[in-house]
Coordinates of all heavy atoms in Angstrom, one line a residue:
Chain A
I389 N -5.9 6.7 -7.3 CA -6.2 5.9 -6.0 C -7.5 6.3 -5.5 O -7.6 7.5 -5.2 CB -4.9 6.2 -4.9 CG1 -3.5 5.9 -5.5 CG2 -5.3 5.4 -3.6 CD1 -3.3 4.4 -5.7
T390 N -8.4 5.5 -5.4 CA -9.7 5.9 -4.9 C -10.1 5.5 -3.5 O -9.3 4.6 -2.9 CB -10.9 5.2 -5.9 OG1 -10.9 3.8 -5.6 CG2 -10.6 5.5 -7.3
M391 N -11.1 6.0 -3.0 CA -11.5 5.7 -1.7 C -12.1 4.3 -1.5 O -12.4 3.9 -0.4 CB -12.5 6.8 -1.2 CG -13.7 6.9 -2.1 SD -14.7 8.2 -1.8 CE -15.7 7.6 -0.5
F392 N -12.4 3.7 -2.6 CA -13.2 2.5 -2.6 C -12.4 1.2 -2.2 O -12.9 0.3 -1.7 CB -13.8 2.3 -4.0 CG -14.7 3.4 -4.4 CD1 -14.4 4.2 -5.4 CD2 -15.9 3.6 -3.6 CE1 -15.3 5.2 -5.8 CE2 -16.7 4.7 -4.0 CZ -16.4 5.5 -5.1
Y393 N -11.0 1.2 -2.5 CA -10.3 0.0 -2.3 C -9.0 0.3 -1.4 O -8.7 1.5 -1.3 CB -9.9 -0.7 -3.6 CG -11.2 -0.7 -4.5 CD1 -11.2 0.1 -5.6 CD2 -12.2 -1.6 -4.2 CE1 -12.4 0.0 -6.4 CE2 -13.3 -1.7 -5.0 CZ -13.4 -0.8 -6.2 OH -14.5 -0.9 -6.8
D394 N -8.4 -0.8 -1.2 CA -7.1 -0.8 -0.5 C -6.1 0.1 -1.2 O -6.0 0.0 -2.5 CB -6.6 -2.2 -0.6 CG -5.2 -2.4 0.1 OD1 -5.1 -2.6 1.4 OD2 -4.2 -2.4 -0.7
P395 N -5.4 1.0 -0.6 CA -4.6 1.9 -1.3 C -3.2 1.5 -1.6 O -2.2 2.2 -1.6 CB -4.6 3.2 -0.4 CG -4.7 2.6 1.1 CD -5.5 1.4 0.9
M396 N -3.0 0.1 -1.8 CA -1.7 -0.3 -2.1 C -1.2 0.1 -3.5 O -1.9 0.0 -4.5 CB -1.5 -1.8 -2.0 CG -0.1 -2.4 -2.2 SD 0.2 -3.9 -1.4 CE -0.5 -5.0 -2.6
I397 N -0.1 0.7 -3.7 CA 0.5 1.2 -4.9 C 1.3 0.0 -5.6 O 1.2 -0.3 -6.7 CB 1.4 2.3 -4.8 CG1 0.6 3.5 -4.3 CG2 2.2 2.7 -6.1 CD1 1.4 4.8 -4.0
A398 N 2.2 -0.6 -4.8 CA 3.0 -1.7 -5.3 C 3.5 -2.5 -4.2 O 3.7 -2.1 -3.1 CB 4.1 -1.2 -6.2
K399 N 4.0 -3.8 -4.6 CA 4.9 -4.5 -3.7 C 6.3 -4.5 -4.3 O 6.4 -4.6 -5.5 CB 4.5 -6.0 -3.6 CG 3.0 -6.2 -3.2 CD 2.7 -7.5 -3.0 CE 2.7 -8.5 -4.1 NZ 1.9 -9.7 -4.0
M400 N 7.3 -4.2 -3.5 CA 8.7 -4.1 -3.9 C 9.3 -5.3 -3.4 O 9.4 -5.5 -2.1 CB 9.3 -2.8 -3.6 CG 10.7 -2.8 -3.9 SD 11.4 -1.1 -3.5 CE 11.1 -0.3 -5.0
I401 N 10.0 -6.2 -4.2 CA 10.7 -7.3 -3.7 C 12.0 -7.3 -4.4 O 12.3 -7.3 -5.4 CB 10.0 -8.6 -4.2 CG1 8.5 -8.6 -3.9 CG2 10.5 -9.9 -3.5 CD1 7.6 -8.3 -5.1
V402 N 13.0 -7.5 -3.4 CA 14.4 -7.5 -3.8 C 15.0 -8.8 -3.4 O 14.6 -9.4 -2.4 CB 15.3 -6.4 -3.3 CG1 14.8 -5.0 -3.8 CG2 15.4 -6.3 -1.7
W403 N 16.1 -9.2 -4.1 CA 16.8 -10.4 -3.8 C 18.3 -10.0 -3.6 O 18.8 -9.1 -4.3 CB 16.7 -11.4 -5.0 CG 17.3 -12.7 -4.8 CD1 17.0 -13.8 -4.2 CD2 18.7 -13.0 -5.1 NE1 17.9 -14.9 -4.1 CE2 19.0 -14.3 -4.7 CE3 19.9 -12.3 -5.7 CZ2 20.2 -15.0 -4.9 CZ3 21.0 -13.0 -5.9 CH2 21.3 -14.2 -5.4
G404 N 18.9 -10.8 -2.7 CA 20.4 -10.7 -2.6 C 21.0 -11.9 -2.2 O 20.4 -12.8 -1.7
E405 N 22.4 -12.0 -2.4 CA 23.1 -13.2 -2.1 C 23.0 -13.6 -0.6 O 22.9 -14.7 -0.1 CB 24.6 -13.1 -2.4 CG 24.9 -13.0 -3.8 CD 24.7 -11.7 -4.5 OE1 24.5 -10.7 -3.7 OE2 24.7 -11.6 -5.7
D406 N 22.9 -12.5 0.2 CA 22.7 -12.7 1.6 C 21.8 -11.5 2.2 O 21.4 -10.7 1.4 CB 24.1 -12.6 2.5 CG 24.8 -11.4 1.9 OD1 24.4 -10.3 1.9 OD2 26.0 -11.5 1.5
R407 N 21.4 -11.6 3.4 CA 20.5 -10.6 4.0 C 20.9 -9.3 3.9 O 20.1 -8.4 3.6 CB 20.1 -11.0 5.5 CG 19.1 -10.4 6.1 CD 18.5 -10.9 7.3 NE 17.3 -10.2 7.8 CZ 17.4 -9.2 8.7 NH1 18.5 -8.9 9.2 NH2 16.3 -8.6 9.0
I408 N 22.2 -9.0 4.3 CA 22.7 -7.6 4.3 C 22.7 -7.0 3.0 O 22.4 -5.9 2.7 CB 24.2 -7.6 4.9 CG1 24.2 -8.0 6.3 CG2 24.9 -6.2 4.7 CD1 23.4 -7.0 7.2
T409 N 23.0 -7.8 1.9 CA 23.0 -7.3 0.5 C 21.5 -7.0 0.2 O 21.2 -5.9 -0.5 CB 23.5 -8.3 -0.4 OG1 24.7 -8.8 0.0 CG2 23.6 -7.8 -1.8
A410 N 20.6 -7.9 0.7 CA 19.2 -7.6 0.3 C 18.7 -6.3 0.9 O 18.0 -5.5 0.3 CB 18.3 -8.8 0.8
I411 N 19.1 -6.1 2.2 CA 18.7 -4.8 2.8 C 19.2 -3.7 2.1 O 18.5 -2.6 1.9 CB 19.2 -4.8 4.2 CG1 18.4 -5.9 5.1 CG2 19.0 -3.4 5.0 CD1 18.8 -6.0 6.6
R412 N 20.5 -3.7 1.7 CA 21.1 -2.5 1.1 C 20.5 -2.2 -0.3 O 20.2 -1.0 -0.5 CB 22.6 -2.9 0.9 CG 23.4 -1.7 0.3 CD 24.9 -2.1 0.3 NE 25.2 -3.3 -0.4 CZ 25.2 -3.6 -1.7 NH1 24.9 -2.6 -2.5 NH2 25.5 -4.7 -2.1
R413 N 20.2 -3.3 -0.9 CA 19.5 -3.1 -2.2 C 18.1 -2.6 -2.1 O 17.6 -1.7 -2.9 CB 19.5 -4.5 -3.0 CG 20.7 -4.8 -3.5 CD 20.8 -6.2 -4.1 NE 22.0 -6.5 -4.8 CZ 22.2 -7.6 -5.5 NH1 21.4 -8.6 -5.3 NH2 23.4 -7.8 -6.1
L414 N 17.4 -2.9 -0.9 CA 16.0 -2.5 -0.8 C 16.0 -1.0 -0.4 O 15.2 -0.3 -1.0 CB 15.4 -3.4 0.4 CG 14.0 -3.0 0.7 CD1 13.0 -3.1 -0.5 CD2 13.5 -3.9 1.9
V415 N 17.0 -0.6 0.4 CA 17.0 0.8 0.8 C 17.3 1.7 -0.5 O 16.6 2.7 -0.7 CB 18.1 1.1 1.9 CG1 18.3 2.5 2.0 CG2 17.9 0.3 3.1
E416 N 18.2 1.1 -1.4 CA 18.5 1.9 -2.6 C 17.3 2.0 -3.5 O 17.0 3.0 -4.0 CB 19.6 1.1 -3.3 CG 20.3 1.9 -4.4 CD 21.5 1.0 -4.9 OE1 22.4 0.8 -4.2 OE2 21.3 0.6 -6.0
C417 N 16.6 0.8 -3.7 CA 15.4 0.8 -4.6 C 14.4 1.7 -4.1 O 13.7 2.4 -4.9 CB 15.0 -0.6 -4.8 SG 16.1 -1.6 -5.8
L418 N 14.1 1.7 -2.8 CA 13.1 2.5 -2.2 C 13.4 4.0 -2.4 O 12.5 4.8 -2.7 CB 13.0 2.3 -0.7 CG 12.3 1.1 -0.3 CD1 12.4 0.7 1.2 CD2 10.8 1.1 -0.6
S419 N 14.7 4.4 -2.2 CA 15.0 5.8 -2.4 C 15.0 6.2 -3.8 O 14.9 7.4 -4.0 CB 16.4 6.0 -1.7 OG 17.4 5.6 -2.7
E420 N 15.1 5.4 -4.7 CA 15.0 5.8 -6.2 C 13.6 5.7 -6.7 O 13.2 6.0 -7.9 CB 15.9 4.8 -6.9 CG 17.3 5.2 -6.8 CD 18.2 4.3 -7.6 OE1 17.8 3.9 -8.7 OE2 19.3 4.0 -7.1
T421 N 12.6 5.3 -5.9 CA 11.2 5.2 -6.4 C 10.5 6.5 -6.2 O 10.7 7.1 -5.2 CB 10.4 4.2 -5.5 OG1 11.1 2.8 -5.7 CG2 9.0 4.0 -5.9
I422 N 9.9 6.9 -7.3 CA 9.3 8.2 -7.2 C 7.8 8.0 -7.3 O 7.2 7.5 -8.2 CB 9.7 9.2 -8.3 CG1 11.3 9.2 -8.2 CG2 9.0 10.5 -8.2 CD1 11.8 10.1 -9.4
V423 N 7.0 8.6 -6.4 CA 5.5 8.7 -6.5 C 5.1 10.1 -6.2 O 5.3 10.6 -5.2 CB 4.8 7.8 -5.4 CG1 3.4 7.9 -5.6 CG2 5.3 6.3 -5.5
F424 N 4.6 10.8 -7.3 CA 4.1 12.2 -7.1 C 2.6 12.1 -7.2 O 2.0 11.6 -8.1 CB 4.7 13.1 -8.3 CG 6.1 13.4 -8.1 CD1 6.8 13.8 -9.2 CD2 6.8 13.3 -6.9 CE1 8.2 14.2 -9.1 CE2 8.1 13.7 -6.7 CZ 8.8 14.2 -7.8
G425 N 2.0 12.7 -6.2 CA 0.5 12.8 -6.2 C 0.2 12.5 -4.7 O 0.4 13.3 -3.8
P426 N -0.4 11.3 -4.4 CA -0.7 11.0 -3.1 C 0.5 10.8 -2.2 O 1.6 10.6 -2.7 CB -1.4 9.6 -3.2 CG -1.2 9.1 -4.6 CD -0.6 10.3 -5.4
K427 N 0.4 11.0 -0.9 CA 1.5 10.7 0.0 C 1.7 9.2 0.1 O 0.9 8.4 -0.1 CB 1.0 11.3 1.4 CG 0.9 12.8 1.4 CD 1.8 13.4 2.3 CE 1.7 14.9 2.6 NZ 1.3 15.8 1.4
T428 N 2.9 8.9 0.4 CA 3.2 7.4 0.6 C 4.1 7.1 1.8 O 4.5 8.1 2.5 CB 4.1 6.9 -0.7 OG1 5.3 7.5 -0.5 CG2 3.4 7.3 -2.0
N429 N 4.2 5.8 2.0 CA 5.0 5.4 3.1 C 6.5 5.1 2.8 O 7.2 4.4 3.5 CB 4.4 4.1 3.7 CG 4.3 2.9 2.8 OD1 4.5 3.2 1.6 ND2 4.0 1.8 3.3
L430 N 6.9 5.5 1.6 CA 8.2 5.2 1.0 C 9.4 5.6 2.0 O 10.3 4.8 2.3 CB 8.5 6.0 -0.3 CG 7.9 5.1 -1.5 CD1 7.9 6.1 -2.7 CD2 8.8 4.0 -1.8
Q431 N 9.2 6.9 2.6 CA 10.3 7.3 3.4 C 10.4 6.6 4.8 O 11.4 6.2 5.3 CB 10.1 8.8 3.7 CG 11.3 9.5 4.3 CD 11.0 10.8 4.7 OE1 10.3 11.6 4.0 NE2 11.5 11.3 5.8
F432 N 9.2 6.2 5.2 CA 9.0 5.5 6.4 C 9.6 4.0 6.2 O 10.4 3.6 7.1 CB 7.5 5.4 6.8 CG 7.1 4.4 7.8 CD1 7.3 4.7 9.1 CD2 6.5 3.2 7.4 CE1 6.9 3.8 10.1 CE2 6.2 2.2 8.4 CZ 6.4 2.5 9.9
L433 N 9.3 3.5 5.1 CA 9.9 2.1 4.8 C 11.4 2.2 4.8 O 12.1 1.3 5.3 CB 9.4 1.5 3.5 CG 7.8 1.3 3.5 CD1 7.4 0.8 2.1 CD2 7.6 0.0 4.5
Q434 N 11.9 3.2 4.2 CA 13.4 3.4 4.0 C 14.1 3.4 5.4 O 15.0 2.7 5.8 CB 13.8 4.6 3.3 CG 13.8 4.6 1.9 CD 14.1 6.0 1.3 OE1 15.3 6.4 1.4 NE2 13.1 6.6 0.8
K435 N 13.5 4.3 6.3 CA 14.0 4.4 7.7 C 13.9 3.0 8.4 O 14.8 2.6 9.2 CB 13.2 5.4 8.6 CG 13.4 6.8 7.9 CD 13.4 7.8 9.1 CE 14.1 9.1 8.5 NZ 14.6 9.9 9.6
L436 N 12.7 2.3 8.2 CA 12.5 1.1 8.9 C 13.6 0.0 8.6 O 14.2 -0.6 9.4 CB 11.2 0.6 8.5 CG 10.5 -0.5 9.2 CD1 10.4 -0.2 10.8 CD2 9.1 -0.8 8.7
V437 N 13.8 -0.1 7.1 CA 14.7 -1.3 6.8 C 16.2 -0.8 7.0 O 17.0 -1.6 6.9 CB 14.5 -1.8 5.4 CG1 13.1 -2.4 5.4 CG2 14.6 -0.7 4.3
S438 N 16.4 0.5 7.2 CA 17.8 1.0 7.5 C 18.1 0.9 9.1 O 19.3 1.1 9.5 CB 17.9 2.4 7.1 OG 17.5 2.7 5.8
A439 N 17.1 0.6 9.9 CA 17.4 0.6 11.3 C 18.4 -0.5 11.6 O 18.3 -1.6 11.1 CB 16.1 0.4 12.0
K440 N 19.2 -0.1 12.6 CA 20.3 -1.1 13.1 C 19.7 -2.4 13.6 O 20.2 -3.5 13.3 CB 21.1 -0.4 14.1 CG 22.4 -1.0 14.5 CD 23.2 -0.1 15.4 CE 23.7 -0.8 16.6 NZ 22.7 -1.0 17.8
E441 N 18.7 -2.2 14.3 CA 18.0 -3.5 14.9 C 17.5 -4.4 13.9 O 17.5 -5.6 14.1 CB 16.8 -3.0 15.8 CG 17.2 -2.3 17.1 CD 17.3 -0.7 16.8 OE1 17.4 -0.3 15.7 OE2 17.2 0.0 17.8
F442 N 17.0 -3.8 12.8 CA 16.5 -4.7 11.7 C 17.7 -5.3 11.0 O 17.6 -6.6 10.7 CB 15.8 -3.8 10.7 CG 15.2 -4.6 9.6 CD1 14.2 -5.6 9.7 CD2 15.6 -4.4 8.3 CE1 13.7 -6.4 8.7 CE2 15.1 -5.3 7.2 CZ 14.1 -6.2 7.4

Side-chain angles (χ1 to χ4, degrees):
Chain A
I389 301 287
T390 69
M391 56 191 279
F392 301 113
Y393 314 105
D394 178 87
M396 184 156 82
I397 294 174
K399 302 190 299 204
M400 174 176 274
I401 310 104
V402 295
W403 181 89
E405 291 77 12
D406 50 49
R407 188 166 185 269
I408 291 301
T409 310
I411 292 178
R412 185 173 50 73
R413 289 174 169 178
L414 180 55
V415 173
E416 191 180 292
C417 290
L418 282 169
S419 78
E420 288 178 32
T421 300
I422 305 180
V423 183
F424 285 159
K427 298 244 187 316
T428 69
N429 60 344
L430 274 166
Q431 193 188 324
F432 168 77
L433 291 173
Q434 277 177 70
K435 291 220 166 199
L436 192 59
V437 297
S438 309
K440 192 170 132 280
E441 294 88 340
F442 181 63

